[in-house]
Amino acid sequence: MNHLNVIAVCIGVLVGGCSQKAAEPVVSAGEPLGLQMVRTEAQLKKYPFRTLLEFEASTDPVFVKVEGEKGKIDRRRKHTGEGSLIIERGSKAMAVRVDLLFSGSAFPGRWALAGAYFYAERPQRLGAVYEVQGTAVAGVNVQIPGGQWTPVMLDVAAGTEGKQLPIGVLRFVFDGGLGQAVWCDDVLVMDNTQVVVDSGWVIRERGFEFVVEKAGVFTVAMKTPEASDQGWRLEEAGAVRARFASKGKEKSCTIYSDGRRIVDGKMTLLGGANAAAIEHHPNPGQVSIATEMGRVDRNSAEDLNNDGYSELTGAYQIVAAAPRIELTLAPQAKPLYCPVLEISGLPAGNVLVNMEGRVVETTARLANARLLVVLPGTLTRPTLVSLRVSQ
Ligand SMILES: [Ca+2]
Ligand SMILES: [Ca+2]
């Protein structure tokens, strides 16, 4: 059995029982909050990876230093194979010589994440740092739960991208020294690069970061919860819009491919987005629709004042009652810059949207079957929009 098979089998065994438990943060009172490793085995195992050390061969510990000494293999615990590396009580640090392991080749190269699985009987805080010539280019503080093997991975891509850096050392630090023994088994690198959207703009995930990019117009990087307690999860992504949610200070972020960005209801503009959008956002227009065709949804969670316009997503909320609807959008205090309609209740099929006889080109179906329609230009008077789904 080669290395890849060994770890794939072991991860598979762990998935059922452990992933749920790993989702609960375990934090001791009085200590600074450690990041929770929210990426579980189940999520990690879909990515290509390479096992660097599995602590079976007697040569493996050569690449590892615990308290400045060569590491020791222990057969009482294992994540893969027969043995693991033991880090004795009282130890303050363990270092993996990535420079030796990747000697003669590029690092990180294609790999975005580097790290290891750890086991402790009780919850254990630890720091992980990727150091190049004594300088940390990536780092994270986490707390692993007790009684289960937990991956502690570090984004080694974000801090090194585009720089010609020599290969460094992966260091795991136990502040104040370990109060218990900790085992490490399987040091690995992983490539979790995923292009989520490539359609006029690109949304990709690499390491613990999302990059939202419209070539030549804007690029935004957003950290994921593994990299920051202010990190973002991707909730929705398509050709027109992406939505992120966070448990940090800022909770909601919506980005449109035209550069409109709304964070917790406040709009800013990325790149060359039109400034009229800023005035439109707090001054939405009014949608009128015949009852037999549908209704304005004033109760969506993202609509903070129940007027049918969602402050959090910058879209008018409409529920269709038929496959063919007509509605009027009337400006109130300010002109309406490229208004976005979000329509639920439409059947599947091709959609044709007209605005006063003009075909509306920018539409997108979301994963939840809702339709987004971006009306072109700036509306200064009541405007008729008709929409038809052909099945
Ligand atoms: Ca092993
Ligand atoms: Ca509203």
Side-chain angles (χ1 to χ4, degrees), residues 89-150:
R89 197 175 153 181
S91 302
K92 291 197 177 84
M94 165 210 161
V96 179
R97 294 288 305 270
V98 185
D99 54 340
L100 297 181
L101 288 161
F102 277 83
S103 171
S105 61
F107 182 85
R110 73 170 287 194
W111 307 109
L113 301 174
Y117 279 76
F118 287 92
Y119 182 100
E121 280 167 5
R122 299 186 305 280
Q124 178 64 50
R125 285 177 51 79
L126 62 102
V129 187
Y130 178 58
E131 269 179 23
V132 177
Q133 293 174 328
T135 303
V137 293
V140 70
N141 284 303
V142 299
Q143 174 157 304
I144 59 167
Q148 68 187 66
W149 287 98
T150 304

Side-chain angles (χ1 to χ4, degrees), residues 58-369:
S58 57
T59 49
D60 277 4
V62 170
F63 300 98
V64 169
K65 289 270 184 288
V66 180
E67 297 296 282
E69 303 284 320
K70 190 179 129 183
K72 266 190 300 197
I73 286 180
D74 185 35
R75 303 206 178 271
R76 283 173 297 169
R77 300 240 181 246
K78 60 188 187 291
H79 179 227
T80 61
E82 303 290 328
S84 62
L85 177 85
I86 184 165
I87 308 163
E88 305 276 9
R89 197 175 153 181
S91 302
K92 291 197 177 84
M94 165 210 161
V96 179
R97 294 288 305 270
V98 185
D99 54 340
L100 297 181
L101 288 161
F102 277 83
S103 171
S105 61
F107 182 85
R110 73 170 287 194
W111 307 109
L113 301 174
Y117 279 76
F118 287 92
Y119 182 100
E121 280 167 5
R122 299 186 305 280
Q124 178 64 50
R125 285 177 51 79
L126 62 102
V129 187
Y130 178 58
E131 269 179 23
V132 177
Q133 293 174 328
T135 303
V137 293
V140 70
N141 284 303
V142 299
Q143 174 157 304
I144 59 167
Q148 68 187 66
W149 287 98
T150 304
V152 176
M153 305 298 292
L154 201 55
D155 183 344
V156 288
T160 53
E161 212 131 271
K163 299 175 190 164
Q164 294 297 322
L165 295 177
I167 303 174
V169 170
L170 197 56
R171 197 181 301 282
F172 298 95
V173 184
F174 314 101
D175 271 348
L178 280 173
Q180 61 181 335
V182 169
W183 288 264
C184 171
D185 199 10
D186 284 3
V187 173
L188 70 162
V189 285
M190 197 172 274
D191 178 16
N192 70 332
T193 309
Q194 280 190 305
V195 176
V196 188
V197 173
D198 187 359
S199 162
W201 66 337
V202 176
I203 302 171
R204 65 175 180 275
E205 183 180 10
R206 176 164 163 78
F208 293 142
E209 193 172 83
F210 290 106
V211 175
V212 182
E213 186 168 32
K214 188 149 182 175
V217 185
F218 62 81
T219 303
V220 184
M222 300 175 76
K223 292 201 179 307
T224 67
E226 291 88 349
S228 164
D229 57 2
Q230 305 295 312
W232 296 93
R233 280 175 293 111
L234 184 62
E235 300 263 290
E236 175 204 306
V240 167
R241 181 173 86 178
R243 292 185 57 194
F244 297 86
S246 170
K247 289 181 176 167
K249 266 184 283 179
E250 295 173 337
K251 309 287 183 204
S252 162
C253 177
T254 302
I255 303 176
Y256 283 92
S257 57
D258 63 13
R260 283 180 275 184
R261 172 169 61 177
I262 305 164
V263 176
D264 289 349
K266 190 173 174 357
M267 186 181 283
T268 52
L269 303 176
L270 301 166
N274 191 307
I278 298 277
E279 295 217 304
H280 170 195
H281 186 59
N283 296 288
Q286 207 160 47
V287 175
S288 316
I289 182 167
T291 323
E292 63 272 20
M293 291 185 177
R295 62 181 173 83
V296 175
D297 180 5
R298 297 175 199 280
N299 295 314
S300 75
E302 294 83 23
D303 178 3
L304 306 179
N305 58 355
N306 305 101
D307 65 351
Y309 176 80
S310 157
E311 284 71 29
L312 296 187
T313 60
Y316 295 87
Q317 304 294 314
I318 295 146
V319 183
R324 181 180 190 131
I325 61 175
E326 279 189 354
L327 57 86
T328 303
L329 180 54
Q332 302 295 298
K334 296 283 180 186
L336 311 179
Y337 171 80
C338 293
V340 180
L341 309 179
E342 181 169 345
I343 306 167
S344 63
L346 288 170
N350 288 328
V351 184
L352 245 158
V353 187
N354 253 272
M355 187 176 87
E356 298 194 326
R358 204 170 145 193
V359 173
V360 176
E361 311 267 359
T362 311
T363 65
R365 280 275 188 175
L366 304 180
N368 61 11

Side-chain angles (χ1 to χ4, degrees), residues 13-81:
V13 168
L14 283 168
V15 168
C18 300
S19 53
Q20 202 55 39
K21 202 170 162 193
E24 291 298 320
V26 189
V27 180
S28 317
E31 287 190 0
L33 184 70
L35 276 176
Q36 175 202 356
M37 291 313 292
V38 292
R39 212 64 63 106
T40 63
E41 289 94 338
Q43 291 168 300
L44 286 175
K45 76 168 192 175
K46 66 183 180 188
Y47 304 122
F49 64 89
R50 183 178 145 199
T51 304
L52 302 178
L53 298 169
E54 53 187 5
F55 304 111
E56 303 301 319
S58 57
T59 49
D60 277 4
V62 170
F63 300 98
V64 169
K65 289 270 184 288
V66 180
E67 297 296 282
E69 303 284 320
K70 190 179 129 183
K72 266 190 300 197
I73 286 180
D74 185 35
R75 303 206 178 271
R76 283 173 297 169
R77 300 240 181 246
K78 60 188 187 291
H79 179 227
T80 61

